[in-house]
Amino acid sequence: MDDGLTSKQLVRQTNGKLILQNIFNSGVTSRAQIARDLSLNKSTVSSIYNDLMLTGLIKEVGDGEASNNGGRKPTMVTINATYGVTVSLDIAYRNLHYMFNYLNGEIVKSGEIRIYQRDIHEILDIIHDLIESTLPKIKSEVGLMGISISYHGIVKDGQILYSPFLNLGGIDLKQELWKMYPHVKITIDNEANMAALYERDFNDEQSTENSITISIHKGIGAGIILNHTIYRGATGEAGEVGRTLTMHNGKYQTVESICSEDAIITAISDEYGEPLFRNDVVDLYRKSNPIVIKRLDLFVETIAFLMYNIAKTFDTHSFFISSPLIEEMPEMLNAIDEQMRMIDSSIPNVYLIDDADKATLLGSCSLITHRVLDMMNYDLHFSIN
């Protein structure tokens, strides 16, 4: 038996998670409705319901409507969102993006802090100061329950195996956070995986059971959802699509050396003859600058072929792109989609994630909420407030 539990205890534990999942995903429900939804007898639901009430994870919110047959009005119940708080952090190249959430995913506070050219020790101090200065201002019953880190690199089992732009100097980021906050859950995962989790758990409009999220920032990565689960591969490198090879100017180069946001802006800056930033590139594109048009045409063609190959490899239902640059020029998305359909008209639709930074943090919020609730293998559906 798992953890020494008897069969009866395992059944009760499983039913407890299913009931908590039902309450979370329903928003507001009742014991009778839970019993109907899960085909459980009312005594089982009531017993576990009472246990959950004692934990503080759920709360009653008044009476609902009586049935058509009359009788007592049902007591309605929901997740006790303010029971605890989670913190999601995205350590990007120039900024630390952060978000504080209640247990239902409600955003309490979010923002960013400049960390350009800061070392890992300084960044850890910034994280500590941020949490310590913010938590006392947030009303909750137990305070901080979990911290989730979105990292731009290769991550396996919470360990950062490859860090492309931040020298960790042998620092174990997870251990350092545990030293600061030894009683909370800590998760670390790849940024593209977090964006994919956002689409899986916050998106009610498209099928995300099998989906690919392409993240285009300083590098290029993919969050791969197969059968509703993140696919990481044997060593955590399953989504490193930016490091795949393509032929350009007569030689093989990595896709991200041509098509990452930094690569695009650097190449345009070099040919234009002066340093440019994202907004400059967008402005020049709007003015039909031939240097920018040529480079973005290459970007569209290369990304379209990359996504076509991924679609054929994983037989995905839907595609999402997380890219601040494309957010500024959404017609690029249409161009990529058209290029893919010129190759194969049966390719799934491509959708752009609005506000890529926020999406990554919300995906991170989903991951840590699953962890603190001990619901890693259960679907939880969030709404955006």
Side-chain angles (χ1 to χ4, degrees):
M1 301 294 177
D2 291 349
D3 300 322
L5 298 178
T6 65
S7 296
K8 184 176 180 179
Q9 289 170 325
L10 281 171
V11 169
R12 183 176 177 84
Q13 183 184 78
T14 299
N15 286 337
K17 291 184 185 300
L18 290 172
I19 289 171
L20 182 60
Q21 177 192 38
N22 183 277
I23 295 170
F24 192 103
N25 292 341
S26 297
V28 178
T29 188
S30 66
R31 277 175 283 189
Q33 186 60 51
I34 294 168
R36 287 192 292 270
D37 290 345
L38 300 179
S39 299
L40 295 173
N41 64 60
K42 291 182 180 180
S43 63
T44 297
V45 171
S46 290
S47 175
I48 293 172
Y49 177 99
N50 291 334
D51 288 347
L52 287 171
M53 284 295 296
L54 289 174
T55 68
L57 287 174
I58 64 173
K59 66 177 182 179
E60 294 176 342
V61 289
D63 294 334
E65 295 295 324
S67 69
N68 293 332
N69 299 323
R72 275 181 13 184
K73 294 181 177 180
T75 299
M76 307 307 288
V77 64
T78 188
I79 284 291
N80 183 10
T82 59
Y83 178 76
V85 178
T86 63
V87 182
S88 296
L89 304 162
D90 176 22
I91 303 176
Y93 181 60
R94 293 181 175 84
N95 297 303
L96 173 72
H97 305 276
Y98 65 86
M99 182 180 286
F100 291 77
N101 301 78
Y102 283 133
L103 280 188
N104 62 349
E106 178 185 345
I107 300 170
V108 183
K109 181 179 180 180
S110 63
E112 63 183 37
I113 300 170
R114 189 76 167 173
I115 57 170
Y116 182 59
Q117 296 185 332
R118 299 291 189 99
D119 65 32
I120 184 60
H121 300 285
E122 292 173 309
I123 293 171
L124 282 166
D125 287 341
I126 289 170
I127 291 172
H128 181 265
D129 291 346
L130 171 67
I131 293 174
E132 292 302 305
S133 64
T134 304
L135 275 180
K137 302 172 186 175
I138 300 175
K139 180 183 177 181
S140 70
E141 295 177 26
V142 301
L144 183 63
M145 296 184 72
I147 301 170
S148 184
I149 301 289
S150 167
Y151 203 80
H152 299 247
I154 298 173
V155 181
K156 183 172 186 261
D157 299 328
Q159 300 299 309
I160 299 169
L161 305 182
Y162 172 66
S163 179
F165 56 79
L166 179 61
N167 181 7
L168 295 177
I171 293 291
D172 185 327
L173 187 55
K174 193 171 187 178
Q175 287 296 327
E176 292 301 315
L177 290 169
W178 258 332
K179 289 177 186 177
M180 296 181 196
Y181 302 100
H183 304 298
V184 308
K185 303 289 186 181
I186 310 285
T187 62
I188 302 178
D189 209 336
N190 172 267
E191 172 270 334
N193 287 343
M194 298 299 197
L197 288 174
Y198 164 75
E199 287 298 339
R200 186 193 71 180
D201 296 338
F202 284 82
N203 189 339
D204 293 328
E205 297 181 5
Q206 282 86 35
S207 172
T208 56
E209 182 178 351
N210 291 282
S211 63
I212 307 288
T213 300
I214 303 293
S215 177
I216 305 173
H217 296 267
K218 187 174 177 62
I220 298 177
I224 304 167
I225 302 285
L226 297 180
N227 298 322
H228 228 260
T229 301
I230 286 283
Y231 177 69
R232 294 179 172 85
T235 61
E237 297 189 57
E240 291 297 305
V241 297
R243 297 166 73 186
T244 57
L245 298 177
T246 187
M247 180 67 74
H248 178 59
N249 289 338
K251 61 180 180 180
Y252 287 109
Q253 299 182 43
T254 63
V255 170
E256 66 185 15
S257 71
I258 302 168
C259 292
S260 71
E261 180 170 323
D262 276 27
I264 293 167
I265 294 173
T266 298
I268 292 172
S269 296
D270 289 347
E271 193 167 350
Y272 193 74
E274 63 180 77
L276 300 172
F277 297 94
R278 184 194 301 154
N279 61 309
D280 301 315
V281 171
V282 174
D283 288 342
L284 289 169
Y285 174 77
R286 300 287 175 222
K287 296 173 183 176
S288 299
N289 181 277
I291 295 172
V292 175
I293 296 298
K294 182 180 76 171
R295 192 71 195 188
L296 290 180
D297 283 347
L298 174 63
F299 166 76
V300 166
E301 181 180 17
T302 306
I303 291 296
F305 276 113
L306 173 70
M307 293 177 67
Y308 169 81
N309 289 333
I310 294 171
K312 289 303 179 183
T313 301
F314 290 101
D315 189 24
T316 181
H317 289 153
S318 50
F319 257 122
F320 302 92
I321 294 182
S322 170
S323 167
L325 184 63
I326 297 179
E327 284 182 51
E328 297 286 339
M329 298 181 292
E331 52 268 56
M332 290 293 98
L333 181 73
N334 296 331
I336 291 169
D337 189 63
E338 289 174 7
Q339 184 77 44
M340 290 173 63
R341 294 189 186 288
M342 287 174 61
I343 305 169
D344 185 346
S345 60
S346 67
I347 289 293
N349 290 329
V350 183
Y351 303 95
L352 179 64
I353 297 177
D354 294 326
D355 198 343
D357 294 332
K358 181 179 179 182
T360 298
L361 290 170
L362 286 171
S364 186
C365 164
S366 171
L367 180 62
I368 192 60
T369 302
H370 277 81
R371 182 62 54 85
V372 300
L373 293 177
D374 194 21
M375 300 282 284
M376 291 301 291
N377 297 319
Y378 293 80
D379 295 341
L380 298 179
H381 303 146
F382 299 79
S383 60
I384 303 173
N385 60 301

